[in-house]
Amino acid sequence: MASNQLTIVVCSLLLLPLAFLSTAAHDETTPTKPVEKKVDVVVEGMVYCQSCKYSGSWSLTEAEPIPSAKVSVICKNFKKQVTYYKAYETNAYGYFYAQLDDFKMSNNILDHPLHGCHVKLISSSLANCSLLSNVNYGLYGAPLRFENKVLRGSHYEAVIYAAGPLAFRPAQCTPETHV
């Protein structure tokens, strides 16, 4: 009986490493689900009140930021169909950070934000500076540019595009007199 028990113990010891090898081989062939990285598209920019001194130009010299101004981000696909629209508000310093939630591209090249998205002026919170201007194409849609700004986390990435500074202008500008 001792001989049979010894045989079972020896066989068990010999087969045990094979069981671990079998399990390890199974683990290597079983595909693991990759961790998905969430990628957000963000548009940022500034909104100003253009100085009367430079009204009619694209100059933002002496311009003041406008808090609570509204801008829209509009994206169209390569067929010129609107695929994304949302209005955003500037903070107390005239800055907007527009996270494009649910933004989708059906064609990675033709529907790319640099090609298909624009920022337009909507409204100013300042009654004395509420006329639209076309500084950086704010009337028809300021194009976006990529300035190598990306926020990265372990499972998150935000690609940030910039719209040129946009501006409203005052309705009442007194003409300068030259003596």
Side-chain angles (χ1 to χ4, degrees):
M1 188 145 195
S3 163
N4 283 343
Q5 288 177 343
L6 183 60
T7 304
I8 291 173
V9 170
V10 169
C11 285
S12 296
L13 290 174
L14 290 173
L15 293 176
L16 191 60
L18 292 175
F20 283 120
L21 286 174
S22 172
T23 305
H26 177 70
D27 287 344
E28 289 174 10
T29 58
T30 305
T32 58
K33 185 178 177 185
V35 177
E36 289 187 29
K37 182 180 263 192
K38 181 176 176 18
V39 179
D40 280 334
V41 174
V42 175
V43 176
E44 69 176 359
M46 292 288 298
V47 178
Y48 294 96
C49 177
Q50 188 179 37
S51 167
C52 279
K53 187 175 178 180
Y54 299 98
S55 183
S57 73
W58 276 27
S59 175
L60 292 174
T61 305
E62 299 176 21
E64 296 290 327
I66 300 179
S68 302
K70 289 190 174 62
V71 297
S72 64
V73 177
I74 303 152
C75 300
K76 295 180 181 180
N77 64 16
F78 67 97
K79 296 177 184 175
K80 303 296 181 205
Q81 299 164 326
V82 175
T83 57
Y84 186 87
Y85 175 89
K86 190 169 180 184
Y88 296 90
E89 190 171 297
T90 61
N91 66 11
Y93 306 103
Y95 172 78
F96 66 90
Y97 182 90
Q99 189 168 330
L100 308 188
D101 295 324
D102 301 322
F103 175 77
K104 304 246 185 301
M105 292 186 291
S106 61
N107 184 308
N108 288 344
I109 295 172
L110 299 175
D111 294 345
H112 194 276
L114 289 174
H115 300 287
C117 298
H118 294 84
V119 178
K120 291 184 180 183
L121 294 168
I122 297 177
S123 66
S124 170
S125 60
L126 303 177
N128 63 346
C129 190
S130 59
L131 294 181
L132 300 171
S133 80
N134 202 30
V135 171
N136 287 313
Y137 301 106
L139 288 175
Y140 304 105
L144 305 183
R145 54 185 193 276
F146 181 62
E147 298 177 335
N148 294 319
K149 237 174 147 176
V150 179
L151 297 176
R152 288 188 174 93
S154 58
H155 303 294
Y156 176 78
E157 188 171 280
V159 181
I160 303 171
Y161 298 95
L166 305 173
F168 288 91
R169 63 183 178 84
Q172 300 296 324
C173 289
T174 55
E176 289 186 26
T177 56
H178 300 284
V179 181

